[in-house]
Amino acid sequence: MYESKLIEQICKLNKTEKHYFLKWTKSPIANARQDVIQLTEFILSKRSITAQTMDKDQAFKYVYPKKRFSVQQLRYVMNYTLTCLDAFLAYYYWKNHTHLEPLHLIAQQQKLNVSTISNTIKKTQQTYNQQTIQDSQQSLLHYFLANENYAYLSKNSRHEAFDFERISNSLHHFAIAEVLRNACLAFSVEQVGGNKALFPLLEVCISLYKSKMYADVPSIEIYGLLYSALTKNDDDDFKKLFTIIFEDQHLFSDKEWKDIILLCINYCIKNLNVSKKGFALY
Protein backbone atom coordinates (compact mmCIF):
# COMPACT_ATOMS: atom_id res chain seq x y z
CA MET A 1 0.00 0.00 0.00
CA TYR A 2 2.80 2.41 0.90
CA GLU A 3 4.42 2.08 -2.53
CA SER A 4 1.16 2.76 -4.40
CA LYS A 5 0.60 5.72 -6.74
CA LEU A 6 -2.04 7.04 -4.35
CA ILE A 7 0.31 7.28 -1.39
CA GLU A 8 3.08 8.67 -3.57
CA GLN A 9 0.87 11.54 -4.73
CA ILE A 10 -0.56 12.28 -1.31
CA CYS A 11 2.96 12.48 0.13
CA LYS A 12 3.74 15.24 -2.39
CA LEU A 13 0.86 17.43 -1.16
CA ASN A 14 1.54 20.23 1.29
CA LYS A 15 -0.52 20.77 4.44
CA THR A 16 -3.01 23.12 2.78
CA GLU A 17 -3.51 20.82 -0.20
CA LYS A 18 -4.13 17.84 2.08
CA HIS A 19 -6.72 19.85 4.00
CA TYR A 20 -8.58 20.81 0.84
CA PHE A 21 -8.33 17.32 -0.63
CA LEU A 22 -10.13 15.89 2.41
CA LYS A 23 -12.83 18.56 2.02
CA TRP A 24 -13.02 17.65 -1.68
CA THR A 25 -13.72 14.00 -0.92
CA LYS A 26 -16.56 15.05 1.40
CA SER A 27 -18.24 17.16 -1.27
CA PRO A 28 -21.16 15.30 -2.89
CA ILE A 29 -20.36 17.10 -6.15
CA ALA A 30 -16.86 15.61 -6.26
CA ASN A 31 -17.37 12.23 -4.58
CA ALA A 32 -20.30 10.01 -3.69
CA ARG A 33 -18.38 7.15 -2.07
CA GLN A 34 -18.11 6.98 1.72
CA ASP A 35 -15.22 4.49 1.54
CA VAL A 36 -13.14 7.06 -0.36
CA ILE A 37 -13.71 9.54 2.46
CA GLN A 38 -12.81 6.91 5.05
CA LEU A 39 -9.59 5.90 3.30
CA THR A 40 -8.55 9.54 2.86
CA GLU A 41 -9.21 10.18 6.55
CA PHE A 42 -7.14 7.15 7.50
CA ILE A 43 -4.17 8.25 5.40
CA LEU A 44 -4.25 11.91 6.45
CA SER A 45 -4.77 11.10 10.12
CA LYS A 46 -1.21 9.81 10.35
CA ARG A 47 1.41 12.22 11.63
CA SER A 48 3.88 10.71 9.16
CA ILE A 49 3.18 8.48 6.18
CA THR A 50 5.50 5.48 6.28
CA ALA A 51 5.40 1.79 5.39
CA GLN A 52 4.48 1.08 9.00
CA THR A 53 1.65 3.62 9.30
CA MET A 54 0.21 2.64 5.90
CA ASP A 55 -0.55 -0.90 6.99
CA LYS A 56 -3.10 -2.40 4.59
CA ASP A 57 -4.86 -4.43 7.29
CA GLN A 58 -5.36 -1.38 9.49
CA ALA A 59 -6.50 0.68 6.52
CA PHE A 60 -9.07 -1.91 5.48
CA LYS A 61 -10.40 -2.27 9.03
CA TYR A 62 -10.78 1.52 9.30
CA VAL A 63 -12.67 1.75 6.01
CA TYR A 64 -14.72 -1.45 6.31
CA PRO A 65 -14.92 -2.28 10.06
CA LYS A 66 -17.52 -5.04 9.58
CA LYS A 67 -15.98 -6.77 6.57
CA ARG A 68 -13.34 -9.46 6.20
CA PHE A 69 -10.07 -8.25 4.69
CA SER A 70 -9.98 -8.30 0.88
CA VAL A 71 -6.96 -7.18 -1.12
CA GLN A 72 -9.10 -6.71 -4.22
CA GLN A 73 -11.60 -4.45 -2.44
CA LEU A 74 -8.78 -2.39 -0.93
CA ARG A 75 -7.29 -1.93 -4.40
CA TYR A 76 -10.67 -0.85 -5.72
CA VAL A 77 -11.12 1.86 -3.10
CA MET A 78 -7.52 3.01 -3.58
CA ASN A 79 -8.16 3.38 -7.32
CA TYR A 80 -11.36 5.32 -6.67
CA THR A 81 -9.47 7.57 -4.26
CA LEU A 82 -6.67 8.12 -6.77
CA THR A 83 -9.23 9.14 -9.41
CA CYS A 84 -10.75 11.54 -6.90
CA LEU A 85 -7.29 12.94 -6.11
CA ASP A 86 -6.52 13.48 -9.81
CA ALA A 87 -9.76 15.43 -10.21
CA PHE A 88 -8.91 17.50 -7.13
CA LEU A 89 -5.43 18.34 -8.42
CA ALA A 90 -6.85 19.53 -11.75
CA TYR A 91 -9.47 21.64 -9.98
CA TYR A 92 -6.95 23.02 -7.45
CA TYR A 93 -4.61 24.09 -10.24
CA TRP A 94 -7.48 25.76 -12.07
CA LYS A 95 -8.63 27.66 -8.97
CA ASN A 96 -5.11 28.86 -8.25
CA HIS A 97 -4.59 30.08 -11.81
CA THR A 98 -7.46 32.54 -11.92
CA HIS A 99 -6.47 33.88 -15.34
CA LEU A 100 -7.89 30.69 -16.89
CA GLU A 101 -11.25 30.85 -15.13
CA PRO A 102 -12.83 33.63 -17.27
CA LEU A 103 -11.98 31.78 -20.50
CA HIS A 104 -13.72 28.63 -19.26
CA LEU A 105 -16.70 30.72 -18.14
CA ILE A 106 -16.94 32.40 -21.55
CA ALA A 107 -16.78 29.03 -23.32
CA GLN A 108 -19.68 27.76 -21.22
CA GLN A 109 -21.66 30.95 -21.77
CA GLN A 110 -21.09 30.51 -25.51
CA LYS A 111 -22.51 27.03 -25.25
CA LEU A 112 -25.55 28.20 -23.29
CA ASN A 113 -25.96 31.33 -25.44
CA VAL A 114 -26.61 33.57 -22.44
CA SER A 115 -26.96 37.35 -22.66
CA THR A 116 -24.25 38.04 -20.07
CA ILE A 117 -21.41 36.86 -22.30
CA SER A 118 -20.63 40.31 -23.72
CA ASN A 119 -20.09 41.69 -20.21
CA THR A 120 -17.89 38.73 -19.28
CA ILE A 121 -15.73 39.24 -22.37
CA LYS A 122 -15.42 42.98 -21.65
CA LYS A 123 -14.46 42.43 -18.00
CA THR A 124 -11.96 39.73 -18.94
CA GLN A 125 -10.35 41.99 -21.54
CA GLN A 126 -9.99 44.73 -18.94
CA THR A 127 -8.49 42.30 -16.44
CA TYR A 128 -5.97 40.95 -18.96
CA ASN A 129 -4.98 44.47 -20.03
CA GLN A 130 -4.25 45.39 -16.42
CA GLN A 131 -1.91 42.44 -15.83
CA THR A 132 1.69 43.32 -15.04
CA ILE A 133 3.04 40.10 -16.54
CA GLN A 134 3.59 40.42 -20.31
CA ASP A 135 5.18 37.10 -21.20
CA SER A 136 4.23 34.76 -24.03
CA GLN A 137 1.58 33.04 -21.92
CA GLN A 138 -0.22 36.35 -21.49
CA SER A 139 -0.21 36.76 -25.27
CA LEU A 140 -1.75 33.30 -25.56
CA LEU A 141 -4.54 34.28 -23.16
CA HIS A 142 -5.27 37.37 -25.28
CA TYR A 143 -5.38 35.12 -28.35
CA PHE A 144 -7.88 32.73 -26.78
CA LEU A 145 -10.02 35.63 -25.59
CA ALA A 146 -10.02 37.25 -29.03
CA ASN A 147 -11.11 33.96 -30.58
CA GLU A 148 -13.98 33.67 -28.10
CA ASN A 149 -14.97 37.25 -28.82
CA TYR A 150 -15.04 36.57 -32.55
CA ALA A 151 -17.09 33.41 -32.02
CA TYR A 152 -19.61 35.47 -30.04
CA LEU A 153 -19.78 38.39 -32.47
CA SER A 154 -19.96 36.23 -35.60
CA LYS A 155 -22.70 33.97 -34.29
CA ASN A 156 -25.44 35.92 -36.03
CA SER A 157 -23.43 37.83 -38.63
CA ARG A 158 -20.16 37.68 -40.54
CA HIS A 159 -18.91 40.71 -38.61
CA GLU A 160 -16.52 41.95 -41.30
CA ALA A 161 -15.31 44.78 -39.07
CA PHE A 162 -13.82 42.44 -36.47
CA ASP A 163 -10.24 43.32 -35.51
CA PHE A 164 -8.38 40.24 -36.75
CA GLU A 165 -5.09 42.04 -36.25
CA ARG A 166 -5.59 41.62 -32.51
CA ILE A 167 -5.79 37.85 -32.97
CA SER A 168 -2.79 37.89 -35.30
CA ASN A 169 -0.66 39.97 -32.93
CA SER A 170 -1.46 37.84 -29.89
CA LEU A 171 -0.79 34.62 -31.77
CA HIS A 172 2.49 35.82 -33.26
CA HIS A 173 3.72 37.34 -30.00
CA PHE A 174 3.21 33.97 -28.34
CA ALA A 175 4.63 31.85 -31.17
CA ILE A 176 7.75 33.93 -31.83
CA ALA A 177 8.62 34.31 -28.14
CA GLU A 178 8.10 30.59 -27.47
CA VAL A 179 10.15 29.47 -30.48
CA LEU A 180 13.03 31.75 -29.44
CA ARG A 181 12.74 30.76 -25.76
CA ASN A 182 12.79 27.03 -26.49
CA ALA A 183 15.59 27.47 -29.02
CA CYS A 184 17.67 29.13 -26.28
CA LEU A 185 16.95 26.29 -23.87
CA ALA A 186 17.66 23.64 -26.50
CA PHE A 187 20.95 25.27 -27.51
CA SER A 188 22.04 25.43 -23.88
CA VAL A 189 21.28 21.72 -23.40
CA GLU A 190 23.00 20.87 -26.67
CA GLN A 191 26.22 22.48 -25.44
CA VAL A 192 26.50 19.97 -22.60
CA GLY A 193 25.95 16.90 -24.73
CA GLY A 194 22.22 16.96 -25.42
CA ASN A 195 20.64 16.14 -28.76
CA LYS A 196 20.23 18.93 -31.28
CA ALA A 197 16.61 20.02 -31.65
CA LEU A 198 15.04 21.16 -34.90
CA PHE A 199 12.89 24.30 -34.93
CA PRO A 200 11.53 24.70 -38.49
CA LEU A 201 10.21 28.22 -37.81
CA LEU A 202 13.33 29.46 -36.02
CA GLU A 203 14.86 31.31 -38.98
CA VAL A 204 11.54 33.05 -39.65
CA CYS A 205 11.28 34.09 -35.99
CA ILE A 206 14.86 35.36 -35.98
CA SER A 207 14.17 37.37 -39.12
CA LEU A 208 11.05 38.90 -37.57
CA TYR A 209 12.98 39.70 -34.40
CA LYS A 210 15.74 41.41 -36.39
CA SER A 211 13.18 43.42 -38.36
CA LYS A 212 12.29 45.22 -35.10
CA MET A 213 8.62 44.69 -35.89
CA TYR A 214 8.20 43.37 -32.34
CA ALA A 215 10.76 45.58 -30.58
CA ASP A 216 8.07 46.66 -28.13
CA VAL A 217 7.37 43.06 -27.04
CA PRO A 218 9.74 42.38 -24.11
CA SER A 219 9.69 38.58 -24.36
CA ILE A 220 10.62 38.61 -28.07
CA GLU A 221 13.31 41.23 -27.59
CA ILE A 222 14.91 39.43 -24.64
CA TYR A 223 14.88 35.96 -26.17
CA GLY A 224 16.07 37.34 -29.51
CA LEU A 225 19.08 38.98 -27.88
CA LEU A 226 19.70 35.92 -25.74
CA TYR A 227 19.63 33.53 -28.69
CA SER A 228 21.98 35.75 -30.66
CA ALA A 229 24.39 36.00 -27.71
CA LEU A 230 24.34 32.25 -27.05
CA THR A 231 24.75 31.06 -30.64
CA LYS A 232 27.07 33.75 -31.97
CA ASN A 233 28.96 34.36 -28.73
CA ASP A 234 28.12 38.02 -29.26
CA ASP A 235 29.16 40.19 -26.30
CA ASP A 236 27.45 43.25 -27.75
CA ASP A 237 24.07 41.51 -27.81
CA PHE A 238 24.65 40.24 -24.30
CA LYS A 239 25.50 43.72 -23.05
CA LYS A 240 22.25 45.02 -24.58
CA LEU A 241 20.42 42.15 -22.93
CA PHE A 242 22.10 42.89 -19.61
CA THR A 243 20.79 46.46 -19.65
CA ILE A 244 17.14 45.52 -20.20
CA ILE A 245 16.54 42.25 -18.35
CA PHE A 246 16.42 43.88 -14.92
CA GLU A 247 14.21 46.68 -16.20
CA ASP A 248 11.72 44.10 -17.51
CA GLN A 249 11.95 41.64 -14.62
CA HIS A 250 8.44 42.50 -13.39
CA LEU A 251 6.96 41.49 -16.75
CA PHE A 252 7.83 37.80 -16.29
CA SER A 253 6.74 35.08 -13.90
CA ASP A 254 9.28 34.03 -11.27
CA LYS A 255 9.83 30.69 -13.01
CA GLU A 256 10.48 32.21 -16.43
CA TRP A 257 12.68 34.92 -14.93
CA LYS A 258 14.77 32.21 -13.27
CA ASP A 259 15.18 30.44 -16.65
CA ILE A 260 16.31 33.70 -18.27
CA ILE A 261 18.90 34.34 -15.57
CA LEU A 262 20.20 30.75 -15.76
CA LEU A 263 20.62 31.08 -19.53
CA CYS A 264 22.51 34.33 -19.01
CA ILE A 265 24.74 32.66 -16.42
CA ASN A 266 25.43 29.82 -18.87
CA TYR A 267 26.65 32.41 -21.36
CA CYS A 268 28.93 33.93 -18.71
CA ILE A 269 30.34 30.53 -17.74
CA LYS A 270 31.01 29.70 -21.38
CA ASN A 271 33.00 32.91 -21.78
CA LEU A 272 34.93 32.36 -18.57
CA ASN A 273 35.84 28.85 -19.71
CA VAL A 274 37.52 30.25 -22.83
CA SER A 275 39.31 32.96 -20.85
CA LYS A 276 37.11 35.77 -22.02
CA LYS A 277 36.15 38.67 -19.79
CA GLY A 278 33.52 37.82 -17.20
CA PHE A 279 30.34 39.75 -16.53
CA ALA A 280 28.96 41.33 -13.39
CA LEU A 281 25.93 39.05 -13.52
CA TYR A 282 28.08 35.95 -13.04
Side-chain angles (χ1 to χ4, degrees), residues 5 19 35 47 58 92 154 173 189 218-219 229 232 276:
K5 293 179 181 179
H19 170 74
D35 53 359
R47 180 171 296 180
Q58 291 181 13
Y92 194 77
S154 63
H173 291 175
V189 171
S219 55
K232 297 180 181 178
K276 292 186 68 175

Side-chain angles (χ1 to χ4, degrees), residues 95-110:
K95 286 300 293 181
N96 284 278
H97 290 75
T98 54
H99 53 280
L100 298 173
E101 187 174 343
L103 291 174
H104 296 157
L105 174 59
I106 292 169
Q108 286 300 311
Q109 288 180 336
Q110 294 269 30

Side-chain angles (χ1 to χ4, degrees), residues 192 230 233 238 261-279 281-282:
V192 292
L230 288 170
N233 210 27
F238 187 78
I261 293 300
L262 288 176
L263 286 168
C264 289
I265 290 175
N266 286 343
Y267 176 84
C268 296
I269 292 173
K270 180 181 177 182
N271 281 314
L272 289 172
N273 286 341
V274 294
S275 300
K276 292 186 68 175
K277 183 180 179 181
F279 290 89
L281 176 66
Y282 183 62

Side-chain angles (χ1 to χ4, degrees), residues 152-171:
Y152 164 68
L153 293 174
S154 63
K155 189 164 292 184
N156 298 313
S157 65
R158 292 182 59 190
H159 222 83
E160 291 86 350
F162 183 78
D163 184 11
F164 279 101
E165 188 173 353
R166 178 181 297 179
I167 290 183
S168 174
N169 287 339
S170 298
L171 178 61

